[in-house]
Structure formats: structure tokens, C-alpha cells
Amino acid sequence: MYSDLYITVRYESFYFNDPIYEPGDNEKWLAEKSQEMGISDMQAAAQLIANGEMQELTSNREFETTIYIKYRGNNPFSYNPRFVSNCEK
């Protein structure tokens, strides 16, 4: 018996370096962290994201995506996964 698979991914968006506006709290925090780490602000952001240390910041948008994969198909002897849909909220 095959069943369907739903994968739900939740993620946050952080926007930095907008040339039009003055630096906000997020930009100031990132500038401080990058200076402490001795690397550029975008390198620091990548490293902080990878280490799960961006929770201190407030994101400007949150997203949720559900991916639906159907495990039924033409092949009765093995899985035949099919990507069915991607719903973003």
C-alpha cells in the first residue's frame, strides 16, 4: 500500500542592506555581529543562519510551503513518486 507524502516547510525572510532606508535594528545587529566575527555582513548572515542564530531578529515576512508528493503510479514493483503541488501561504 502506498501513501502520499506532505512536507511542510516554514521559513522567515530577513531583508538587509536596503540603500533607500537608514539602517534599522536588524542591520545594526548584523553589522555588530559581522564586526565581532571579522567577516562581511553577508558572510556573517550566512553563518548565523546556518548556526540557527538569527532568532534574535524580527523577520519582515514568514512563509509556509506545503509540498505534496503522490506515491502511486504505473510501476507496481517500486515507488513511483510524483510531485503533485506546491502551496505557499
Side-chain angles (χ1 to χ4, degrees):
M1 176 181 229
Y2 298 103
S3 63
D4 299 338
L5 174 68
Y6 291 87
I7 301 170
T8 300
V9 179
R10 292 181 185 90
Y11 52 99
E12 296 176 316
S13 173
F14 298 95
Y15 185 72
F16 297 100
N17 251 354
D18 192 320
I20 298 173
Y21 300 102
E22 291 292 317
D25 291 338
N26 287 354
E27 287 83 5
K28 292 174 185 173
W29 180 87
L30 182 59
E32 183 180 305
K33 291 291 185 181
S34 67
Q35 189 172 18
E36 288 173 11
M37 299 166 79
I39 54 179
S40 76
D41 56 350
M42 292 297 109
Q43 289 173 317
Q47 189 170 337
L48 292 165
I49 289 169
N51 294 338
E53 298 178 52
M54 291 292 255
Q55 289 103 358
E56 294 181 39
L57 297 182
T58 303
S59 67
N60 60 345
R61 290 182 69 191
E62 293 185 17
F63 299 91
E64 180 178 297
T65 299
T66 300
I67 301 166
Y68 169 43
I69 300 173
K70 190 171 189 149
Y71 274 100
R72 298 175 205 160
N74 301 330
N75 189 345
F77 302 107
S78 67
Y79 290 112
N80 189 15
R82 249 183 332 149
F83 179 79
V84 177
S85 67
N86 180 14
C87 304
E88 189 170 307
K89 293 181 182 181

